[in-house]
Amino acid sequence: MFNSYSIAHFIQYFILGRYIINSWKIFFLISIGWELLEIILPFEFARESILNKFSDIGINCLGFYIGKLTKKNR
């Protein structure tokens, strides 16, 4: 399930993969940690279905993977 935040997720994790993070372990910690944090955040943007949370993690993975693929110094 995609929503208006899906593009933002992709761009964020693309940037993380390309410029900031090399480790898949750290990526998963950040990605899953954020989705878990959204469960307790009292903001409107954090209210979403469980299916959407899994979709967000999938988009994050795609963005991170493509970011790592396009990195100049592998």
Side-chain angles (χ1 to χ4, degrees):
M1 181 160 132
F2 301 104
N3 62 20
S4 59
Y5 292 112
S6 296
I7 294 170
H9 276 263
F10 180 85
I11 292 169
Q12 274 181 298
Y13 285 92
F14 175 87
I15 290 168
L16 284 176
R18 180 163 169 98
Y19 300 108
I20 300 171
I21 298 173
N22 284 324
S23 169
W24 278 96
K25 289 179 185 178
I26 294 172
F27 155 75
F28 278 116
L29 262 169
I30 292 170
S31 181
I32 294 171
W34 176 256
E35 294 304 322
L36 291 173
L37 180 63
E38 280 185 338
I39 293 171
I40 61 170
L41 288 175
F43 303 111
E44 186 64 33
F45 73 85
R47 291 189 182 136
E48 57 190 10
S49 70
I50 295 298
L51 177 62
N52 192 262
K53 292 200 177 298
F54 282 109
S55 174
D56 286 349
I57 293 170
I59 293 292
N60 296 350
C61 288
L62 183 63
F64 187 74
Y65 176 72
I66 293 173
K68 285 181 69 63
L69 281 179
T70 61
K71 186 178 275 196
K72 293 185 190 249
N73 298 328
R74 287 201 239 171

